Amino acid sequence: MKIVLIGAGGTLGVAVHTALTGRGHDVVTVGRSSGDLRLDIADPEQTAQLYERVGRVDAVVSAAGDVPWKPITEMTPQDYLDAFRGKVLSQVELVRQGVGRIAERGSFTLITGVLAREPVPTGTAASLANGAVEAFVRAAAIEIAPQRVNAVSPTVFTESLGDYGDFFPGMESVDLDKVARAYVRSVEGAQTGQVYVL
Ligand SMILES: NC(=O)c1ccc[n+]([C@@H]2O[C@H](COP(=O)([O-])OP(=O)(O)OC[C@H]3O[C@@H](n4cnc5c(N)ncnc54)[C@H](OP(=O)(O)O)[C@@H]3O)[C@@H](O)[C@H]2O)c1
């Protein structure tokens, strides 16, 4: 398959890239500062450019998403808007703009995370963004068939414990290769409207 992978240079993106290329797929990488295409998907006009430049693909895979982390008393309205733009609208636009452009039976795989269901202090923006994306996936799936859309919703990555472990005391981590396999499942499988909780 020809697959476009956004966030390919990140911790998760590298693992997803390895898994997808290892399955023989042709992967076009996208990021703001690295990749085959340098684009910011938080800007809907740049997402339009992405689809213009990449041509017809079989799958769109997202491993990107930025949200602010702060105590709720320090959050501003702009912080919540930034979270919406950085993780929700960015991924919604991949689907909204992609429906008319990807293969007839193509798929979208979005990234959310454990904070949709297991909150931690300073994570309100991440929780709301992840929850919004998961609700969107379920809703979009019933409209876009035979195209498909799923989300991957992992807990903290084992490989990220050094950076984020203190936010998740006592919580299980998940190895990146297992998360990457959920992307393979979403891309190559037949399910839609699923949130793969890892
Ligand atoms: N780390 C964890 O333990 C964990 C656990 C569960 C869920 N997640 C979620 O998984 C996703 C990836 O996390 P990560 O730890 O792999 O992050 P990361 O290492 O910072 O990687 C994110 C990648 O996405 C790209 N990116 C970010 N925003 C973009 C945009 N608007 N347009 C284009 N590219 C963009 C970044 O590259 P540029 O900066 O060059 O654009 C980078 O390559 C996030 O949504 C995160 O919330 C992470």
Side-chain angles (χ1 to χ4, degrees):
M1 292 184 200
K2 182 177 179 183
I3 300 172
V4 60
L5 167 60
I6 300 99
T11 304
L12 172 60
V14 168
V16 173
H17 186 263
T18 300
L20 293 175
T21 54
R23 300 280 299 173
H25 299 300
D26 173 14
V27 180
V28 179
T29 58
V30 181
R32 291 170 301 196
S33 61
S34 66
D36 300 320
L37 301 176
R38 307 282 167 93
L39 293 164
D40 181 354
I41 63 162
D43 175 359
E45 289 187 6
Q46 293 191 43
T47 298
Q49 290 173 31
L50 187 163
Y51 282 118
E52 284 293 326
R53 291 169 63 181
V54 80
R56 197 166 182 80
V57 296
D58 300 293
V60 176
V61 164
S62 171
D66 281 342
V67 295
W69 285 75
K70 287 182 193 174
I72 192 168
T73 50
E74 294 175 19
M75 290 290 287
T76 65
Q78 189 60 50
D79 287 326
Y80 287 113
L81 290 170
D82 289 348
F84 182 79
R85 193 175 175 91
K87 191 154 184 183
V88 184
L89 185 67
S90 54
Q91 298 196 95
V92 166
E93 281 295 289
L94 288 175
V95 178
R96 188 190 69 81
Q97 295 193 37
V99 162
R101 312 198 70 142
I102 72 166
E104 189 182 357
R105 291 185 172 275
S107 70
F108 303 90
T109 305
L110 308 185
I111 180 68
T112 63
V114 66
L115 297 180
R117 55 194 175 277
E118 301 274 5
V120 300
T122 74
T124 58
S127 289
L128 81 80
N130 289 340
V133 173
E134 292 180 7
F136 171 78
V137 162
R138 294 187 192 95
I142 66 171
E143 292 194 35
I144 71 170
Q147 292 174 335
R148 300 180 299 106
V149 58
N150 297 302
V152 176
S153 187
T155 187
V156 64
F157 309 146
T158 306
E159 293 81 350
S160 293
L161 284 174
D163 292 325
Y164 306 124
D166 288 348
F167 289 97
F168 301 93
M171 291 170 67
E172 294 291 328
S173 65
V174 61
D175 295 351
L176 276 169
D177 67 335
K178 184 173 180 181
V179 183
R181 282 201 301 277
Y183 279 80
V184 171
R185 179 181 180 188
S186 176
V187 168
E188 297 185 15
Q191 290 187 312
T192 190
Q194 301 300 302
V195 176
Y196 296 118
V197 172
L198 302 164

